[in-house]
Amino acid sequence: MRLILLGAPGAGKGTQADIVAEKYNIPQISTGAILREAMAAKTPLGIKVEEIIKAGSLVPDEDVVAIVRERLLQPDCRNGFILDGFPRTIPQAKALDQMLSEMGIAIDKVVSIEVGDEDIICRLSGRRVCQKCGATFHTAYKPSQKGDACDRCGDSLIVRKDDQEDVIRQRLEVYHQQTAPLKDYYAAQNKLRLVMGQEDLADTTALMEKALQD
Ligand code: ADP
Ligand code: ZN
């Protein structure tokens, strides 16, 4: 199963990607998480992208394309993968098609999780992330059993700098301008499935599973 998850920031891609990755036993590839790791480790790439991400803008296509290319060549991607947060622009989608065709493979399905802007703003302001392992939680929808600490590794949970309201609005605008057109791109390849994001994440998962079966 080779899958792309689309959706506005905060639509629940990361959470659903986690669940699908486990169910199908395929790796989840999140460019946002890889970029945040690079920032935390202060690698040259991390230092380069820090201001861009804090401002809610997109990292240059060539940087994320290079990250994904390297990741897809790892042996654990052989039986499939789920891309979360990539591609985010038409040039990224074209670069992805190109690299997959060089590898002799193709995307099977693209699922877009649909959530309205006002709901997104509510959701993102409650989001908490583990600064150590990258696990994500939500104060209302998916609280950590350990409160302010991570269920998975015990480290402390933080609010991402780009989850502040003005930055969220900027990210939504970038989404509508640059990422939403990917729905037409993949609809034209007959790969697009729309899933209406539900308040309860298990309900969204059920709709996702249906979308993956047809
Ligand atoms: P969300 O889905 O909540 O926006 P992500 O973790 O996917 O969060 O991404 C966080 C930030 O990382 C984005 O706002 C953007 O600056 C950068 N980023 C992640 N993936 C890409 C990408 N494919 N292209 C460009 N920038 C990206
Ligand atoms: Zn953790």
Side-chain angles (χ1 to χ4, degrees):
M1 168 92 68
R2 299 185 182 94
L3 196 64
I4 292 172
L5 271 188
L6 290 180
K13 296 186 299 287
T15 307
Q16 297 301 328
D18 262 346
I19 295 168
V20 173
E22 194 162 326
K23 179 168 176 201
Y24 291 90
N25 196 24
I26 50 177
Q28 168 195 1
I29 303 174
S30 160
T31 43
I34 294 170
L35 291 167
R36 279 188 291 281
E37 275 163 30
M39 288 196 293
K42 301 214 186 305
T43 66
L45 175 69
I47 292 164
K48 173 179 173 185
V49 303
E50 184 150 12
E51 293 306 317
I52 299 174
I53 291 181
K54 266 194 220 157
S57 307
L58 292 183
V59 169
D61 289 336
E62 62 265 29
D63 291 317
V64 283
V65 167
I67 289 173
V68 171
R69 184 188 302 278
E70 194 187 305
R71 186 64 189 84
L72 288 179
L73 290 171
Q74 302 299 311
D76 64 332
C77 292
R78 225 172 277 151
N79 296 323
F81 49 80
I82 175 162
L83 286 167
D84 153 25
F86 180 94
R88 247 177 164 93
T89 65
I90 295 283
Q92 289 178 21
K94 289 185 172 159
L96 176 65
D97 277 348
Q98 171 75 28
M99 79 175 91
L100 293 180
S101 90
E102 282 163 16
M103 296 164 78
I105 55 181
I107 293 295
D108 298 309
K109 258 171 207 161
V110 178
V111 175
S112 176
I113 304 179
E114 306 281 306
V115 178
D117 286 4
E118 290 311 310
D119 286 339
I120 295 277
I121 290 165
C122 276
R123 287 183 182 199
L124 287 186
S125 43
R127 180 151 78 177
R128 300 292 180 269
V129 209
C130 174
Q131 50 186 350
K132 190 171 181 200
C133 78
T136 62
F137 302 91
H138 193 283
T139 50
Y141 308 123
K142 191 193 171 193
S144 168
Q145 303 304 314
K146 297 181 185 151
D148 288 339
C150 176
D151 265 347
R152 202 191 281 170
C153 78
D155 210 301
S156 54
L157 301 180
I158 55 163
V159 178
R160 273 164 48 178
K161 288 214 175 69
D162 57 348
D163 279 346
Q164 272 136 26
E165 182 163 341
D166 53 332
V167 182
I168 296 170
R169 289 197 187 273
Q170 160 68 15
R171 288 161 64 207
L172 281 170
E173 191 162 320
V174 170
Y175 169 77
H176 290 297
Q177 279 178 3
Q178 307 215 50
T179 309
L182 292 177
K183 289 195 269 181
D184 288 336
Y185 181 87
Y186 289 113
Q189 297 183 6
N190 252 324
K191 292 177 179 169
L192 184 71
R193 303 289 183 276
L194 298 185
V195 164
M196 297 299 145
Q198 306 294 310
E199 201 159 301
D200 186 316
L201 74 95
D203 294 341
T204 307
T205 304
L207 292 177
M208 282 260 319
E209 287 183 345
K210 246 194 224 153
L212 292 180
Q213 272 152 26
D214 72 25

